[in-house]
Amino acid sequence: MSLSEVTISNLRCIEHADLRLPPGLTLVYGGNGSGKTSLLEGIFVLGRGRSFRTRNSERLIRRGQAHMRVTGDVRRGLDQSVRLGVEVTRTGATARISGRPADTLAELSQFFAVQVIEPGVHRLIEEGGYRRRRWLDWAVFHVEPQFVDTWLRYTRVLKQRNAALKSQAATVSVWDPDLARLGQAITESRVRLIERLQPYWRAAVSVLSGLEVELHYLRGWSQDHTLAEALNVSRIADETRRQTHAGPHRADVAVRLHGREARDVLSRGQQKLVAVAMTVAQLRLLQESSQMAPTLLLDDPAAELDGERLQRFIDEVASLRCQLVVTSLHPESRLFGTPESTFYMEAGRVQPI
């Protein structure tokens, strides 16, 4: 699985960009502010339906335009491909897969597996559980395909329960059985993924950081109760706050060093290496469990890393054997070898070299 063609229109500073990509290494170089990161954003949107820089998709739309659009062809096997498209307007985002409307943006991940390592990757450690849940669920989507449907059904029931909490509190209990059943299924899938990830994680974090950092899944409600019991126990609090507080939507992946939260004890550089290890471990698990070769986007990979730490990073990424799209300030960048394809960016315009 790799991206062979991508066309981007009206995304931030990019009016139009059309690229053909090899299955190996692509280098995109240019000065600061030239649009390199926006180009990677467009590729990421094609596989996720959202940006890795903002949760507000409207910000992606080029100034003065009504929409932004990304389309692309993804190779699947030797002679198969699928056409993907995402359009973002002021009112939301929609996707198409081989010409048909996608039921949800989450479907895109099943057809184009894309991950990113960028200078803000440390936020995976530093910030709250939202990013880590996204990181975890993306891997579960690929290892257990039925997870997508379960997750979508849980999300719908959760919205209905929250709506009842705001307007018809007496009907809240109607939604509890389905929420508990679906929430338990989500939790079991996530726990299985974390357990399978552990050997890949321990190897990656040891090589990259030399630290004994541990990953633990926190399911989003008390260990003393089932989810059905937790929903019942928290009913009064939920009615007061008009929001459901127990469930896998409140889950987290705890990242700890010697029992303490990693974000409290690690430097910014160490946080970045631990976050990179989370991504590398995830991709290695997917490769070996599903024979899938994801696309990895690397935005200025040398930022904040130097010397031995940078070399460890390069060695780990190179060993993944996946499609790489790398940005750099310099055309002579050879961190990951000689690129099969090179593009120059300036003021949002892309030129093949």
Side-chain angles (χ1 to χ4, degrees), residues 47-229:
R48 302 293 192 94
R50 62 177 180 85
S51 167
F52 57 81
R53 296 169 72 187
T54 177
R55 293 170 68 172
N56 184 355
S57 294
E58 186 177 344
R59 295 178 182 174
L60 301 175
I61 302 173
R62 189 166 174 260
R63 186 176 180 180
Q65 301 300 312
H67 68 270
M68 84 86 182
R69 183 179 294 127
V70 183
T71 59
D73 289 333
V74 178
R75 303 180 188 91
R76 295 175 64 84
L78 296 176
D79 55 359
Q80 293 183 331
S81 67
V82 60
R83 183 77 170 172
L84 303 179
V86 178
E87 181 175 272
V88 176
T89 67
R90 304 293 177 187
T91 58
T94 57
R96 299 184 71 85
I97 299 171
S98 294
R100 68 167 178 83
D103 294 328
T104 171
L105 296 175
E107 278 190 73
L108 293 166
S109 288
Q110 296 177 306
F111 295 90
F112 179 38
V114 59
Q115 187 56 281
V116 63
I117 296 174
E118 41 90 26
V121 70
H122 66 277
R123 290 176 294 182
L124 187 59
I125 308 300
E126 189 176 67
E127 296 185 358
Y130 170 80
R131 287 181 181 274
R132 290 184 290 276
R133 285 194 301 273
R134 287 278 194 177
W135 167 83
L136 176 61
D137 285 347
W138 181 77
V140 182
F141 285 162
H142 291 289
V143 174
E144 299 187 16
Q146 75 279 4
F147 180 80
V148 176
D149 180 63
T150 305
W151 180 79
L152 290 172
R153 286 189 287 150
Y154 177 85
T155 301
R156 285 194 291 267
V157 175
L158 178 64
K159 288 180 179 178
Q160 291 166 324
R161 189 180 194 271
N162 284 340
L165 286 167
K166 293 178 173 66
S167 61
Q168 295 177 306
T171 68
V172 167
S173 61
V174 170
W175 305 108
D176 288 2
D178 280 347
L179 198 70
R181 177 177 55 82
L182 294 167
Q184 185 62 39
I186 288 172
T187 299
E188 290 171 359
S189 292
R190 286 173 170 175
V191 168
R192 282 193 294 270
L193 191 287
I194 289 291
E195 290 174 349
R196 293 182 64 180
L197 184 72
Q198 290 298 332
Y200 304 96
W201 159 249
R202 286 192 290 269
V205 77
S206 176
V207 169
L208 284 165
S209 73
L211 300 170
E212 296 180 358
V213 181
E214 299 180 341
L215 295 182
H216 301 281
Y217 181 67
L218 307 178
R219 64 183 189 172
W221 71 92
S222 170
Q223 295 290 332
D224 297 329
H225 298 102
T226 65
L227 181 50
E229 292 169 343

